[in-house]
Amino acid sequence: MTSNGYLDPKDAESVLATYPSRDGASAAELMADAGQNGLTYQDLLVLPGFIDFGAKDVSLESRVTRNIVLKTPFMSSPMDTVTESDMAINIALLGGIGIIHHNNTAEEQAAMVKLVKKFENGFIVDPIVLSPSAKVSDVRRIKETAGFSGLPVTDTGKLGGKLLGIITSRDVAFHSDLNSPVSEVMTTNLVTAQQGIALKEANEILRKSKKGKLPIVDADGNLRALLSRSDLMKNLNFPLASKLPESKQLYCGAAIGTREHDRARLALLAESGLDLVVLDSSQGNSVFQIEMVKWIKANHPQIDVIAGNVVTREQAAKLIAAGADGLRVGMGSGSICITQEVMACGRPQATAVYQVSEFASRFGVPTVADGGLKNAGDVVKALALGASAVMMGSMLAACSEAPGDVIYQNGQRVKVYRGMGSIAAMEHQKSQTADNAAAGRYYSEDDNIRVAQGVTGYVAEKGSIREYLPYLNTAIQHSMQDIGVRSLNLLRSGTREGTVRFQLRSSAGILEGGVSGLSSVNKQLYSA
């Protein structure tokens, strides 16, 4: 005690240690205090911790399924206004993974997966190969349809044939005779590497040669693989890219349903190189999904399976027992979803994410928080409550890489965003019931009357995901710095151990935490 009656400031930390508990509440205490009142992300905050590191030092690496680890915890939702090949490519380049929707034919979906898998490679082991008699018109056609040139030419026109040359867009750009054989215009002065060379060494040869392609040949000069300079540049420009360790191809996911015809669909997707399948159902605790999980693990063991959706431990237990590699959490919490309103079924998302994640973590099964996300803060709360990844719909639907055109509404540039339970989605390809993902997702294939569980709306255009996702990544790093944790693994372990603390908010507290008292607002989220 000092002369003025106060405790000695030097004893502040030792006095703090005499308190019976830490400030705030653990996640378990938070949920217990809420009782039977489910919590949303808006209802809570994470309390700040101690900062002794920079925001750039925070790692967002996360295991999103039993076997897939990403540099960032971001997934794009399998919705027909969110994820096709363009979105899947770009989110993978930025460290996440795209889940391609299945409100299309199996062939269309498989073609999208193939575009993603062909976008970036290490050694290309199945390149397009031409024969010497192929025509210049063939090269131009391949450039238009596949988006690339620089095609090897072998004596057989196949991989394994003797390498004769490479035909590039420069070789044919000003060649007027489209019927000329490629043997007349191809480049024959080639730099090659021997079969068995390490990828790092091959990339170094490619960099020094300043060539566009590096053919890999065996001792007899037969073509065995190909390396592309464009892939080398992608490695430099996108260091967080989500890639398979062996092939260096981008990770790609896709959604399917749980019916018999979806098994044939998955076979096509597997042929295209699919890495992750998401079983797309609003209520995943069904005999259909349990049987599908078991069938996939038996017939396509190389593909990881995320099952769901679930919001309770009881739902999760059956899918974990069936062999699911991950769980998708959420029911009725999305901005375009009206399941809770119409079906009186679901659960507030913060409670759902915590309860399912806590249970699933005991079995080493990661969870994906799907729905209810409006901003970077919501993403952090989902991750702090135990999710290994977040699945984003409305947050990405406004990006230019999402399907659909930009239109003007009341002078504002917007894009259409619809729930897969909306009438518009259910009516898509109405004559092809087996290929309508929306109807299958809500077990409505045989209904004469469609009962909507989603709506159609508009979202203000955001620009490219290549600008938006780096902002989101940086915002989350700064948030975790405030919380005092250096990685997502430490965030989740801190929640389990009670060292990461939470605070419930009153309605007045929520209001206080937002912008208020201003006559007008300019809310610019980021600048590059």
Side-chain angles (χ1 to χ4, degrees):
M1 187 80 67
T2 61
S3 58
N4 60 10
Y6 296 110
L7 298 176
D8 189 338
K10 295 178 182 179
D11 296 330
E13 290 191 272
S14 60
V15 172
L16 177 65
T18 65
Y19 280 70
S21 65
R22 298 185 58 159
D23 211 346
S26 68
E29 292 166 344
L30 186 80
M31 295 299 166
D33 288 345
Q36 299 306 309
N37 297 314
L39 301 179
T40 70
Y41 297 133
Q42 281 281 77
D43 291 322
L44 58 93
L45 286 174
V46 187
L47 294 185
F50 177 66
I51 298 175
D52 60 352
F53 55 91
K56 288 186 177 180
D57 297 327
V58 173
S59 169
L60 299 186
E61 184 173 283
S62 188
R63 184 174 296 279
V64 298
T65 70
R66 290 185 193 271
N67 303 301
I68 297 177
V69 177
L70 303 180
K71 297 292 186 183
T72 67
F74 304 133
M75 288 186 179
S76 63
S77 182
M79 305 171 73
D80 58 9
T81 51
V82 178
T83 309
E84 291 186 348
S85 54
D86 196 15
M87 176 63 75
I89 287 169
N90 281 279
I91 194 171
L93 287 174
L94 296 166
I97 187 170
I99 312 299
I100 295 173
H101 75 87
H102 62 124
N103 211 15
N104 47 26
T105 66
E107 292 74 18
E108 289 169 340
Q109 190 183 24
M112 292 180 199
V113 171
K114 189 169 291 186
L115 281 174
V116 179
K117 300 304 293 184
K118 293 294 184 183
F119 185 79
E120 182 168 359
N121 298 273
F123 291 117
I124 306 170
V125 295
D126 57 347
I128 297 175
V129 182
L130 297 178
S131 68
S133 59
K135 295 180 171 50
V136 169
S137 59
D138 296 326
V139 179
R140 293 190 175 179
R141 174 181 53 79
I142 292 170
K143 172 66 174 175
E144 291 173 1
T145 57
F148 57 84
S149 57
L151 307 171
V153 181
T154 67
D155 59 351
T156 62
K158 298 178 180 179
L159 185 70
K162 187 168 291 293
L163 180 66
L164 303 178
I166 285 183
I167 185 80
T168 70
S169 57
R170 290 189 296 273
D171 295 326
V172 301
F174 301 105
H175 195 83
S176 57
D177 186 0
L178 298 182
N179 290 316
S180 297
V182 296
S183 59
E184 293 182 3
V185 293
M186 67 184 182
T187 298
T188 56
N189 181 23
L190 305 178
V191 175
T192 63
Q194 287 297 305
Q195 185 178 21
I197 189 172
L199 180 60
K200 185 177 180 180
E201 295 173 8
N203 276 329
E204 185 62 19
I205 293 174
L206 187 60
R207 185 184 65 81
K208 288 181 177 179
S209 72
K210 300 181 180 179
K211 299 286 188 178
K213 297 288 192 298
L214 179 68
I216 309 299
V217 297
D218 61 20
D220 297 322
N222 298 317
L223 180 68
R224 294 303 177 188
L226 194 67
L227 197 63
S228 172
R229 184 177 184 82
S230 63
D231 291 334
L232 180 60
M233 296 306 298
K234 291 167 191 169
N235 288 336
L236 296 174
N237 294 331
F238 300 100
L240 298 178
S242 304
K243 297 180 288 188
L244 280 99
E246 304 83 13
S247 68
K248 304 302 179 184
Q249 289 181 322
L250 294 177
Y251 274 120
C252 183
I256 64 171
T258 57
R259 299 300 197 255
E260 189 65 33
H261 59 80
D262 288 298
R263 300 185 180 192
R265 178 184 285 263
L266 183 58
L268 284 179
L269 297 175
E271 289 176 9
S272 297
L274 187 71
D275 305 297
L276 169 64
V277 63
V278 173
L279 297 184
D280 196 23
S281 174
S282 62
Q283 213 282 53
N285 188 23
S286 71
V287 64
F288 312 111
Q289 188 154 147
I290 291 169
E291 290 177 354
M292 181 63 90
V293 171
K294 292 178 179 178
W295 181 85
I296 294 172
K297 299 312 295 181
N299 292 274
H300 299 280
Q302 79 282 8
I303 298 177
D304 272 19
V305 183
I306 292 181
N309 281 29
V310 299
V311 292
T312 70
R313 294 189 295 266
E314 287 75 14
Q315 288 176 297
K318 291 183 181 298
L319 296 175
I320 291 171
D325 299 299
L327 294 174
R328 188 177 171 196
V329 182
M331 188 174 183
S333 55
S335 63
I336 41 65
C337 188
I338 57 174
T339 296
Q340 293 182 14
E341 175 186 332
V342 175
M343 302 297 160
C345 199
R347 196 175 202 179
Q349 186 68 345
T351 296
V353 169
Y354 174 75
Q355 298 292 3
V356 175
S357 299
E358 186 279 329
F359 179 75
S361 67
R362 300 184 178 198
F363 306 93
V365 177
T367 58
V368 179
D370 175 27
L373 302 167
K374 300 178 181 62
N375 49 48
D378 288 345
V379 172
V380 173
K381 292 173 188 178
L383 297 170
L385 290 169
S388 293
V390 292
M391 183 171 280
M392 297 177 287
S394 63
M395 292 179 70
L396 299 182
C399 294
S400 54
E401 290 79 7
D405 298 323
V406 174
I407 62 174
Y408 282 90
Q409 186 183 60
N410 300 324
Q412 186 179 28
R413 290 167 61 88
V414 299
K415 297 187 75 170
V416 173
Y417 176 51
R418 70 186 187 192
M420 295 305 288
S422 66
I423 294 299
M426 288 186 179
E427 296 279 316
H428 179 66
Q429 297 186 144
K430 191 171 182 179
S431 62
Q432 304 177 45
T433 304
D435 286 321
N436 186 281
R441 188 176 198 275
Y442 297 90
Y443 307 112
S444 301
E445 304 100 314
D446 301 324
D447 291 352
N448 293 323
I449 298 175
R450 302 290 196 201
V451 178
Q453 295 190 46
V455 299
T456 299
Y458 299 93
V459 285
E461 184 202 18
K462 278 181 180 166
S464 175
I465 191 177
R466 294 194 181 189
E467 296 175 353
Y468 180 66
L469 217 61
Y471 146 72
L472 203 58
N473 192 82
T474 303
I476 294 169
Q477 286 179 312
H478 277 278
S479 174
M480 291 175 60
Q481 182 190 38
D482 284 345
I483 296 168
V485 290
R486 294 173 179 262
S487 70
L488 287 181
N489 287 335
L490 290 174
L491 178 65
R492 287 189 290 268
S493 64
T495 297
R496 288 194 300 270
E497 295 163 6
T499 56
V500 171
R501 309 295 284 180
F502 296 84
Q503 182 70 57
L504 275 178
R505 292 201 288 180
S506 65
S507 57
I510 294 171
L511 183 64
E512 179 187 66
V515 178
S516 61
L518 301 178
S519 60
S520 63
V521 177
N522 177 21
K523 194 173 183 179
Q524 181 180 346
L525 293 178
Y526 60 92
S527 64

